[in-house]
Structure formats: C-alpha cells, structure tokens
Amino acid sequence: MGLLKSTFTWWEGSTFGTWMGLRGKRKTGEDALGNVYYEGGKDVNGLPRRWVIYKGANDASRVPPEWFSWLHHQIDDVPDRALPQVRRWEKPATPNMTGTALAYRPPGALEKGGRRAAATGDYEAWVPE
C-alpha cells in the first residue's frame, strides 16, 4: 500500500510525483521539526524556486518563521547563516492547534463547561422602530 498511498494521498506527506519533481534540486536544509527544504530552477520572476517537504501532515503552520522567510525570499541565505542567534527569551514557534485538545477555547465555550459570565446590566437590546 506504500507506493499506492504515496501516489495519491497528498495530505499525509509528499506524493511520488513530488519526489520525482525534486530530482536535480539541491537540498538546502532541515528544521527542528524534520521538514526538509529544497532549492533549484527559476520561477517566472527569475528567483530561485524553493520547496518544503513536510515531515508528517502537510500543515503550513509547521514551518518555523525563519524558514518561512527563506521560502518567501525575505532572506537570501539559509536561516542558520543569514539570521542572528536565537535569544534566550524567544519561544519556539508552535503549529496551529485548531481542532486539537490544545486549541484556544474562550470562556463560555461548550468544551470548557459552557458557563458564560453573568450579564452586567450594561447591555441594551436593539429594538426596530
């Protein structure tokens, strides 16, 4: 099932066609999440084409900010050489948590018990005339 699955299911990683399209392209680097970055050829504006091959699910929020800037030609060199060292107070990037147990749930959401704060009396309902 491996070859058949990689031929048709793009949502669980790169397909066979993607790997064939990366032949002759240069592997540029890898991030802490295991995503691999490639560069090669030119786009219509004459800039080098750049790709990311996700490790795991294809979710663009899993690309760290430094590699996002490389993918979008905001920096020319790979982040390790082009950007300053990470400061000790900087937090690591987190992927989009929507749809998981770690997603933000505001007070009053059904997932948090469904209890809204009591009304304060400063609300006046609109009445059409």
Side-chain angles (χ1 to χ4, degrees):
M1 175 95 167
L3 180 61
L4 187 63
K5 186 176 183 179
S6 72
T7 303
F8 297 108
T9 58
W10 56 266
W11 54 88
E12 291 185 10
S14 57
T15 62
F16 181 72
T18 302
W19 285 111
M20 294 303 290
L22 289 174
R23 286 181 303 156
K25 308 303 187 246
R26 182 173 56 94
K27 179 181 173 183
T28 307
E30 188 172 335
D31 64 21
L33 297 173
N35 300 326
V36 183
Y37 299 88
Y38 291 89
E39 184 174 46
K42 299 277 184 196
D43 67 4
V44 295
N45 298 318
L47 296 170
R49 299 252 349 227
R50 295 175 174 173
W51 292 269
V52 59
I53 302 299
Y54 299 102
K55 177 167 176 109
N58 290 339
D59 182 8
S61 72
R62 296 184 64 235
V63 174
E66 60 271 11
W67 281 102
F68 177 89
S69 60
W70 178 81
L71 281 170
H72 294 272
H73 299 283
Q74 295 171 347
I75 58 175
D76 292 327
D77 207 355
V78 293
D80 296 339
R81 293 190 295 261
L83 298 176
Q85 291 292 327
V86 176
R87 304 265 173 25
R88 123 180 97 85
W89 45 263
E90 290 183 273
K91 292 183 178 181
T94 57
N96 184 354
M97 296 294 164
T98 302
T100 69
L102 299 174
Y104 171 73
R105 307 255 188 329
L110 292 175
E111 294 86 355
K112 288 188 95 173
R115 294 200 171 271
R116 292 181 13 189
T120 59
D122 61 350
Y123 175 77
E124 185 179 322
W126 176 75
V127 180
E129 305 212 34

